[in-house]
């Protein structure tokens, strides 16, 4: 079992930066690919970024490429999402996810192993 707890969300202005953290419980954290997803009101949950178990492979949605950076610290059981040049359209609830399959996270397939509860990010114009 893996439990995921996100933190770092908040209200910021357009152009600002924000770093989200996702702390995972369990000794098997380093064996999972990790991802960040987001869901805006009235929209589906979409993948934002994914990182492989050792950080050697990453994936970004086109909408955040060049602005967001995903990273992980396996010694701290934590994955991060550094967000810069934030836009109002980045406003959403951001969810952390863990899965044994990088591709399942990348393609947002059903059956992702674990989800966090989410953290709200609001970007004002």
């Amino acid at each position: 079992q893996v439990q995921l707890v996100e933190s770092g969300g908040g209200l910021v202005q357009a152009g600002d930066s924000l770093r989200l953290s996702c702390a995972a419980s369990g000794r098997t954290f380093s064996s999972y690919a990790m991802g960040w997803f987001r869901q805006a009101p009235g929209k589906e949950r979409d993948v934002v970024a994914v990182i492989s178990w050792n950080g050697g492979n990453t994936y970004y949605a086109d909408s955040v490429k060049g602005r967001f950076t995903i990273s992980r610290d396996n010694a701290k059981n934590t994955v991060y999402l550094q967000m810069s040049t934030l836009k109002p359209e980045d406003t959403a609830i951001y969810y952390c996810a863990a899965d044994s399959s990088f591709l399942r996270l990348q393609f947002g397939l059903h059956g992702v192993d674990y989800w966090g509860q989410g953290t709200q990010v609001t970007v004002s114009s």
Side-chain angles (χ1 to χ4, degrees), residues 40-61:
K43 296 189 177 181
E44 294 185 350
R45 189 176 300 188
D46 293 326
V47 60
V48 174
V50 183
I51 189 166
S52 61
W53 67 275
N54 63 352
N57 193 19
T58 57
Y59 166 82
Y60 295 95

Side-chain angles (χ1 to χ4, degrees), residues 36-110:
W36 286 97
F37 290 70
R38 67 186 181 187
Q39 187 167 18
K43 296 189 177 181
E44 294 185 350
R45 189 176 300 188
D46 293 326
V47 60
V48 174
V50 183
I51 189 166
S52 61
W53 67 275
N54 63 352
N57 193 19
T58 57
Y59 166 82
Y60 295 95
D62 288 343
S63 58
V64 305
K65 204 171 293 183
R67 299 188 299 121
F68 291 12
T69 302
I70 189 170
S71 62
R72 67 189 296 162
D73 186 338
N74 286 344
K76 295 182 178 180
N77 280 12
T78 302
V79 62
Y80 305 97
L81 186 67
Q82 178 67 48
M83 306 184 292
S84 60
T85 320
L86 282 161
K87 305 175 181 180
E89 50 264 42
D90 294 318
T91 295
I93 299 175
Y94 283 71
Y95 297 90
C96 176
D99 200 280
S100 57
S101 169
F102 181 97
L103 291 178
R104 186 149 48 222
L105 291 174
Q106 177 180 342
F107 292 105
L109 299 177
H110 291 295

Side-chain angles (χ1 to χ4, degrees), residues 18-34:
L18 201 61
R19 189 176 80 158
L20 304 182
S21 299
C22 173
S25 65
R27 293 177 291 178
T28 58
F29 171 78
S30 61
S31 66
Y32 286 93
M34 300 295 297

